[in-house]
Amino acid sequence: MDFNGWLKRGVTNGWAGIGASPYGQSIMPFVQDSMNAWSSNIANQMANFRYGYWPKVWWVPERLWVSGLVYPNGSVISNDVAVANQLKNHGASAIILDDDPACRGYDNHQIHTLSNGTGMRVVPRDANYTGLLHSGNGAGALAVLQGLASGSTGPYRIVVYADDWEMAASLGEWKSSMPSAKETYDWMINKCQSENAWLHTWDLAAALSNANFNGVAAMNPTFGTYGSIGGTDGYGGNNNSW
């Protein structure tokens, strides 16, 4: 299969949007800004060259969102402002961050704006919804969507599934730990079609321009990462000691 050709047709036909991410995505705070600028530029150019698409929403692993000014700060030579500016300078309008810990205290079904002066938007990744799909619990994942649709928050909330492709496809080590992830993902895609009277899919770039998804205009994220690699105590749990 010509994967790149298939995906480019998806872009042309409007059903595929392309995200970007720079080389060294998870260690951007630990390298010079000139390297971050180069790698961000290359990522954007590659997406345009391959697919004719300039990415607006970038996958930035939550593990890199440290400030350099507060703990965890060991070996950090850049900071969240510099990283956000480099990404914005090379096409990014928004970044995907984990809802915990980065988006603690904020609605993880709205799109927020960072308060650091960069204007960078934050799209929270729904870790619970993502985990339910990985575990093969399609009914539980659908219940998350149904609960929002029947709730009192209004008709516009966005639930973002985001993770590495090999996890979604049950490849490598995930074949044994997430054996039903691929089938459950396919089932959910079909549900989005069969339940389209109330359930809609969105290109995240298009969602950015819909004010109905707007959340907090001055978001202050929690610096750090998820617990398995250190939480808010730094990479490895010891102020970035690794």
Side-chain angles (χ1 to χ4, degrees):
M1 178 181 179
D2 178 8
F3 176 79
N4 282 326
W6 170 78
L7 196 52
K8 186 172 184 178
R9 288 192 298 274
V11 168
T12 301
N13 294 332
W15 58 259
I18 305 297
S21 192
Y23 181 74
Q25 59 181 8
S26 60
I27 59 170
M28 290 179 74
F30 302 94
V31 300
Q32 296 180 15
D33 286 336
S34 58
M35 177 62 182
N36 289 332
W38 175 84
S39 60
S40 298
N41 187 46
I42 291 295
N44 211 19
Q45 289 187 22
M46 182 172 65
N48 181 56
F49 175 79
R50 289 289 185 189
Y51 311 116
Y53 190 102
W54 293 101
K56 297 298 182 184
V57 181
W58 288 43
W59 172 255
V60 180
E62 58 281 354
R63 66 197 68 172
L64 74 68
W65 213 251
V66 298
S67 73
L69 304 175
V70 297
Y71 188 87
N73 59 6
S75 302
V76 175
I77 63 173
S78 187
N79 57 55
D80 60 307
V81 175
V83 168
N85 278 327
Q86 290 297 355
L87 296 173
K88 282 187 69 70
N89 289 343
H90 296 94
S93 297
I95 54 176
I96 297 174
L97 291 181
D98 211 347
D99 56 4
D100 186 60
C103 302
R104 286 178 185 172
Y106 298 94
D107 190 332
N108 64 342
H109 302 126
Q110 292 183 307
I111 299 174
H112 308 291
T113 302
L114 291 177
S115 64
N116 60 12
T118 63
M120 181 67 76
R121 312 282 300 281
V122 170
V123 179
R125 165 187 179 266
D126 189 322
N128 175 50
Y129 179 78
T130 299
L132 290 168
L133 287 179
H134 285 167
S135 68
N137 188 354
L142 183 62
V144 171
L145 307 177
Q146 292 169 329
L148 287 169
S150 63
S152 59
T153 55
Y156 281 91
R157 284 297 186 274
I158 191 161
V159 180
V160 176
Y161 167 87
D163 222 311
D164 298 333
W165 279 18
E166 63 267 26
M167 298 177 76
S170 300
L171 294 175
E173 64 180 283
W174 311 112
K175 183 177 181 179
S176 58
S177 61
M178 300 178 182
S180 301
K182 171 64 167 58
E183 290 75 14
T184 310
Y185 177 86
D186 290 342
W187 178 86
M188 181 58 74
I189 294 299
N190 289 329
K191 272 294 181 183
C192 289
Q193 183 178 32
S194 63
E195 302 286 338
N196 63 19
W198 64 273
L199 178 60
H200 305 278
T201 56
W202 281 83
D203 181 333
L204 288 179
L208 293 179
S209 61
N210 189 321
N212 290 295
F213 289 122
N214 287 354
V216 174
M219 175 190 179
N220 294 295
T222 298
F223 294 111
T225 184
Y226 45 84
S228 62
I229 57 173
T232 56
D233 289 333
Y235 293 66
N238 188 22
N239 199 19
N240 306 322
S241 60
W242 65 266

